Amino acid sequence: MAKKNNLILPIQGMTCANCVSTVERNLKKLEGIDSVAVNLSSERAAVSYEMQKVDLDRIIEKIQRAGYDVVIAEGDFVLKNSPDALDSERISKSLQKIDGIREVKFNLALNKVVVRYIPTIVSQLEIRAQLKRIGFEALILGDEAVDQEELIRKKEISEQKKLLIIGLIFTTPLFILSMGRDFRIVPDSIGSQRWFDWLLLVLATPVQFYVGAQYYVSAYKALRNGSANMDVLIALGSSVAYFYSLLILFGVFSGHVYLEIAAVIITLIRLGKFLEARAKGKTGDAIRKLLNLQPDKARIKKGNEVVEINADEVVVGDVLVVRPGDKIPVDGIVLNGKSQVDESMITGESKPIAKGVGDSVIGSTQNRNGMLEIEATKVGKETTLSQIVKLVESAQGSKAPIQGLADKISSVFVPIVLVIAVMTFLAWYFFGSPGGHGEMSVFSRALINAVSVLVIACPCAMGLATPTAMMVGTGKSANSGILFRTAEALERSQKVDTVVLDKTGTITRGHPEVTTAEVLDELGEEKSFIQLAASLESASEHPLGEAIVAEAGNRGLDLLEVINFRSIPGKGVAGEVDGKRILAGNHKLMQENGIAVSDNASDIISKLQNNAETPILVAVDRILAGVIGIADQIKDGSLAAVESIKTSGRSVIMLTGDNEHTAKAIARLSGIENVIAEVLPGEKAEKIKELQGQGAVVAMVGDGVNDAPALAQSDLGIALGTGSDVAVASAPVTLLGGDLSSVMKSFTLSKMTFKTIKQNLFWAFFYNILLIPVAAIGLLNPMLAAGAMAFSSVFVVTNSLRLANKKLLS
């Protein structure tokens, strides 16, 4: 079987939807590429390929050939032990085996290794770990990988800002002088001078060929690859105005120069790109917010000492000491201590969780009020937080089906615009009014209107409409404890009309607890009755027995010695405790042992069963002493969550393997009318299929393991579980906190996200549909067209960012 690899590459140089399709089209030409999804907003490409047929070098080469580049970060590592020439060769060979490392350089005088690497594939932590494995400890470590990538993005924004400022320095006086002459503010004695036009040329040229150089380079690369992108339109539009004016200056034609149009087009578009880049940077805030949760330091026990180290140096098996108020560095198990831990930053649940010996804890959550000793079980990329970030990045790199429309239109958009621009020129040239300046006036007007069409028709907004909203939406959901594995899952979520809920662990807490204890005999106080039952059950491994033992612990009762213990399958247990013969089990066990069940006891049993509680009858020395009610209690908020789903117009169904009597009792308490009970795990998927056959769009909500077939069969599988289960979640949606209210939140977030996407697409499409004809009929000046085009992209990005500030109510 072919070995496959999945990676994410940060791409530089993309400006519009055509750039996205160009990168995707070129990579798909490579043999061995299975799939490519490029995100314009995050400027990343998710690539899946067969390693035997194509390698990373070939993929990067293809991207560069298409006219773009891959972001390369640089990290400096100062080594504690001085390497010699042989060491440097060994280090270089070792590091270059790691996927994502592009170059290794040495400065032996400074004991420094400089590594150039792709930050989305390998991190500085992994590089340092590799150095340590071959015997070299790095004393100085640069910024984290994500910070390196962010630093490169900031450099790009800084470069755009510099070019914008230069553009404004030259364009502002050029525009003022040109408009001053047109509106007779500049006297004719000056404006009519030949040197005045040459002054305008001096001001326009740096803007055209320095500020606008990127557009020429990008346009050339796009055309070389047989495609046409936004930069082709900008370069063509501004060049037509500039070179036509140049021909007038050299006397080839006579008439008015339009140098200010060329300069203003480039400067306004540069302004739009600068604002867009700044806004786009904020779409990744959710990922950065998650990464910023990681603590920098950790305290580990070494013998009798507690030593502070960097959090990234913790290894599996280390014992960490976490003080009140500190963040837990990595995932682990509590060895000693009790505390409340705030997991809201991971699960979205605001209520602190009690933690004690044996409980699992999640890295980056906050210890509230007790000292904890924790054994590290997952570090580095294996931690829950790292897995969450990986899943969110994967979702942001995938494409929603709705984006297909924008991609198809964008792929043919620029060629169509070029045809419209040519037709506009020809129509105005042959049928336009001469106006009073002769044939050259008609030519000029035809040219300017064609330029307006070229400039107004930028496909940037179309390319950004879907990915920016998806990035903000998936990021917001992750910060709320909801993980969408794909963009398709986020889109499908809004279409669900039927929600099927598993019972155990979904509606209920998933473990039995004592809810009632009724004393029937003059045995004494309830405390003694519970103590005898719990002592007997301590010798059993049955979950119901464990619940009784746990109740005794909650009440601070000591367990007594048990002798002659017997387990009676399907009925209960028997034995001797404190010199008394004890029986604990169901009604059948009492009947077989000749123990009378009074009418009062029967009433209690019926009441418990009606409330979905399992009655455990306890006899002491052949007399029924009492009844214990045990139930898997409904989670706090389950009733409200079910009501909110029903209020949204969706139907709710409980699907469980429990007996019908218990299932209906739980359904009644949780507000569910429709129950499908006594279904085997293998049959659950068939029940989902039956609902789908009736036309329902089904979301199945379960624990992600026992309900795996049903989750896979449903239109949208939603797995409930703790954060530590996220790495193995089998459903396309995972609710980290296990709170049913998050189900409705996921639907709400999907609706909000796709409402935003539709707004963006409406603006992007209708903006072009409306303004291209306006430009073609001569009602739109090229400078206004450039401003409107720049605004459209900024509008789409900022409209997506509004999602981040909206309240996500269930």
Side-chain angles (χ1 to χ4, degrees):
M1 187 176 178
K3 190 176 180 182
K4 295 185 179 181
N5 193 19
N6 299 300
L7 53 81
I8 294 175
L9 294 173
I11 310 293
Q12 280 181 304
M14 295 191 299
T15 56
C16 68
N18 292 80
C19 299
V20 170
S21 60
T22 299
V23 174
E24 289 181 345
R25 186 176 66 253
N26 277 273
L27 286 181
K28 286 175 181 176
K29 289 178 182 177
L30 289 173
E31 186 184 1
I33 296 289
D34 288 335
S35 65
V36 182
V38 179
N39 186 310
L40 178 60
S41 181
S42 63
E43 297 180 272
R44 288 184 172 189
V47 185
S48 176
Y49 63 97
E50 294 181 26
M51 297 176 71
Q52 289 89 342
K53 295 182 179 179
V54 66
D55 59 17
L56 181 58
D57 289 339
R58 187 79 183 92
I59 291 170
I60 293 174
E61 181 187 329
K62 197 69 174 177
I63 291 170
Q64 291 171 337
R65 177 67 186 167
Y68 307 94
D69 210 345
V70 174
V71 173
I72 304 294
E74 192 170 282
D76 295 346
F77 301 85
V78 176
L79 305 180
K80 185 176 180 180
N81 33 351
S82 302
D84 56 26
L86 289 175
D87 289 331
S88 63
E89 187 178 344
R90 183 161 63 94
I91 290 170
S92 182
K93 284 182 179 179
S94 175
L95 290 180
Q96 287 178 340
K97 288 179 183 177
I98 301 175
D99 220 10
I101 289 183
R102 308 301 300 156
E103 186 182 8
V104 180
K105 296 185 293 185
F106 291 88
N107 185 328
L108 296 178
L110 298 176
N111 294 343
K112 187 166 75 173
V113 184
V114 180
V115 183
R116 300 182 75 242
Y117 62 97
I118 300 172
T120 53
I121 300 178
V122 63
S123 71
Q124 289 195 8
L125 298 181
E126 292 171 287
I127 295 170
R128 190 170 71 163
Q130 180 68 7
L131 287 169
K132 196 170 185 178
R133 276 193 287 272
I134 60 174
F136 295 91
E137 186 174 348
L139 296 179
I140 298 176
L141 181 65
D143 292 333
E144 287 299 319
V146 172
D147 294 332
Q148 285 283 329
E149 190 181 356
E150 183 63 18
L151 182 63
I152 290 169
R153 302 293 186 210
K154 285 179 178 178
K155 284 180 180 177
E156 287 181 16
I157 293 173
S158 178
E159 178 67 16
Q160 292 225 27
K161 184 178 180 181
K162 182 188 79 173
L163 292 172
L164 172 61
I165 291 170
I166 293 171
L168 289 170
I169 288 171
F170 286 95
T171 302
T172 304
L174 170 62
F175 181 77
I176 291 171
L177 290 171
S178 181
M179 291 299 102
R181 179 171 64 178
D182 290 347
F183 289 102
R184 308 288 182 181
I185 298 171
V186 175
D188 284 343
S189 58
I190 296 175
S192 61
Q193 297 293 318
R194 199 69 175 160
W195 64 263
F196 190 88
D197 285 342
W198 285 99
L199 173 62
L200 297 184
L201 179 67
V202 169
L203 291 170
T205 301
V207 178
Q208 190 71 31
F209 299 109
Y210 181 72
V211 179
Q214 172 195 329
Y215 303 123
Y216 283 102
V217 172
S218 178
Y220 164 73
K221 290 179 177 178
L223 293 172
R224 184 185 66 187
N225 284 283
S227 64
N229 62 7
M230 176 203 87
D231 296 322
V232 171
L233 298 179
I234 296 170
L236 188 57
S238 62
S239 294
V240 166
Y242 179 86
F243 287 106
Y244 172 61
S245 300
L246 201 61
L247 291 173
I248 290 173
L249 278 170
F250 282 108
V252 177
F253 298 124
S254 61
H256 185 73
V257 295
Y258 296 100
L259 292 164
E260 79 283 359
I261 288 179
V264 169
I265 286 172
I266 289 174
T267 302
L268 281 177
I269 291 170
R270 181 66 70 186
L271 171 63
K273 283 294 165 189
F274 170 66
L275 295 175
E276 177 193 315
R278 287 181 61 181
K280 275 165 61 179
K282 293 179 182 177
T283 62
D285 280 352
I287 291 285
R288 286 189 287 276
K289 184 178 177 183
L290 287 170
L291 289 169
N292 287 338
L293 294 174
Q294 296 173 316
D296 296 325
K297 300 292 181 181
R299 293 179 181 84
I300 64 169
K301 288 186 77 172
K302 287 196 172 181
N304 295 323
E305 288 187 285
V306 176
V307 180
E308 186 174 86
I309 62 171
N310 291 327
D312 54 70
E313 294 177 343
V314 176
V315 297
V316 173
D318 278 348
V319 176
L320 301 110
V321 176
V322 185
R323 301 180 304 191
D326 286 352
K327 285 185 177 180
I328 298 170
V330 296
D331 293 5
I333 299 291
V334 177
L335 297 178
N336 192 21
K338 287 184 179 181
S339 184
Q340 298 282 322
V341 175
D342 181 0
E343 297 183 344
S344 60
M345 62 284 293
I346 300 291
T347 65
E349 290 189 357
S350 57
K351 190 177 177 181
I353 309 297
K355 299 290 183 179
V357 175
D359 289 334
S360 61
V361 290
I362 305 170
S364 303
T365 57
Q366 190 165 42
N367 182 27
R368 280 289 188 87
N369 51 19
M371 184 81 78
L372 292 176
E373 286 188 8
I374 296 165
E375 180 182 351
T377 56
K378 291 180 181 177
V379 299
K381 287 187 174 181
E382 301 303 316
T383 63
T384 296
L385 183 62
S386 295
Q387 293 296 320
I388 291 172
V389 170
K390 184 179 178 181
L391 284 177
V392 174
E393 287 181 334
S394 176
Q396 291 180 345
S398 63
K399 285 193 176 185
I402 196 172
Q403 193 172 339
L405 174 64
D407 288 347
K408 286 177 183 176
I409 292 175
S410 297
S411 65
V412 297
F413 187 77
V414 174
I416 290 172
V417 169
L418 291 171
V419 171
I420 294 172
V422 171
M423 290 173 64
T424 299
F425 174 80
L426 294 174
W428 276 96
Y429 183 72
F430 289 108
F431 303 107
S433 169
H437 291 285
E439 284 301 307
M440 286 309 299
S441 174
V442 172
F443 182 85
S444 298
R445 196 172 183 190
L447 202 65
I448 295 308
N449 290 339
V451 169
S452 294
V453 171
L454 290 172
V455 174
I456 196 65
C458 172
C460 287
M462 283 187 281
L464 291 168
T466 300
T468 52
M470 288 299 305
M471 284 190 71
V472 177
T474 51
K476 185 178 179 66
S477 68
N479 285 323
S480 302
I482 304 167
L483 291 184
F484 289 92
R485 297 175 72 90
T486 63
E488 186 180 1
L490 182 58
E491 180 171 350
R492 200 181 300 152
S493 184
Q494 64 173 332
K495 300 175 183 177
V496 168
D497 56 32
T498 303
V499 180
V500 177
L501 302 173
D502 175 47
K503 180 182 77 69
T504 306
T506 302
I507 297 171
T508 65
R509 294 176 182 173
H511 55 86
E513 299 174 6
V514 171
T515 53
T516 308
E518 295 280 353
V519 179
L520 298 172
D521 187 69
E522 57 281 345
L523 182 71
E525 55 185 302
E526 182 183 300
K527 176 179 171 182
S528 301
F529 160 60
I530 294 291
Q531 186 180 36
L532 290 171
S535 297
L536 176 65
E537 293 286 6
S538 66
S540 168
E541 294 182 355
H542 195 281
L544 297 181
E546 291 175 356
I548 297 173
V549 174
E551 179 64 17
N554 293 338
R555 297 180 180 221
L557 302 175
D558 294 328
L559 298 180
L560 307 173
E561 185 181 356
V562 182
I563 59 174
N564 298 325
F565 174 82
R566 287 185 301 120
S567 176
I568 305 153
K571 297 171 187 175
V573 291
E576 293 182 28
V577 178
D578 196 27
K580 300 179 178 68
R581 290 185 60 201
I582 311 295
L583 283 173
N586 57 24
H587 194 284
K588 194 170 185 179
L589 179 66
M590 299 300 132
Q591 284 181 324
E592 288 181 356
N593 284 272
I595 296 170
V597 178
S598 65
D599 291 342
N600 182 31
S602 295
D603 289 343
I604 292 170
I605 292 167
S606 297
K607 183 180 177 182
L608 291 174
Q609 288 176 333
N610 287 333
N611 289 330
E613 296 178 57
T614 301
I616 299 296
L617 286 66
V618 180
V620 178
D621 289 335
R622 303 186 60 78
I623 298 173
L624 188 61
V627 180
I628 297 173
I630 298 176
D632 182 4
Q633 291 187 303
I634 293 174
K635 290 179 183 178
D636 296 338
S638 284
L639 176 60
V642 169
E643 285 302 316
S644 70
I645 296 171
K646 287 161 63 178
T647 302
S648 73
R650 297 172 173 89
S651 61
V652 181
I653 299 171
M654 178 193 287
L655 182 63
T656 179
D658 252 358
N659 67 76
E660 191 166 354
H661 185 85
T662 301
K664 285 186 174 179
I666 291 290
R668 186 178 67 253
L669 294 172
S670 54
I672 300 174
E673 290 86 18
N674 302 314
V675 179
I676 304 174
E678 300 179 12
V679 180
L680 296 173
E683 297 173 342
K684 286 186 176 182
E686 287 300 316
K687 295 296 180 183
I688 298 292
K689 204 170 183 178
E690 286 176 18
L691 291 170
Q692 290 170 323
Q694 297 165 16
V697 180
V698 182
M700 172 68 195
V701 186
D703 62 14
V705 179
N706 297 331
D707 301 306
L711 288 167
Q713 175 62 45
S714 65
D715 297 287
L716 184 73
I718 302 177
L720 272 73
T722 61
S724 56
D725 294 329
V726 65
V728 293
S730 58
V733 183
T734 302
L735 310 181
L736 298 180
D739 184 356
L740 262 188
S741 66
S742 293
V743 174
M744 191 59 218
K745 284 181 181 177
S746 69
F747 298 153
T748 304
L749 189 135
S750 174
K751 184 179 178 181
M752 286 164 49
T753 302
F754 279 86
K755 182 180 178 182
T756 301
I757 288 173
K758 288 169 185 175
Q759 289 171 348
N760 289 348
L761 289 173
F762 176 88
W763 176 266
F765 286 136
F766 282 88
Y767 159 86
N768 283 289
I769 290 170
L770 178 66
L771 292 185
I772 288 176
V774 171
I777 63 176
L779 297 179
L780 193 63
N781 182 280
M783 292 183 287
L784 293 176
M789 185 276 282
F791 172 75
S792 69
S793 296
V794 176
F795 171 84
V796 163
V797 179
T798 51
N799 188 48
S800 296
L801 288 173
R802 288 171 57 244
L803 260 177
N805 298 320
K806 289 185 178 180
K807 289 188 177 180
L808 188 58
L809 301 174
S810 59

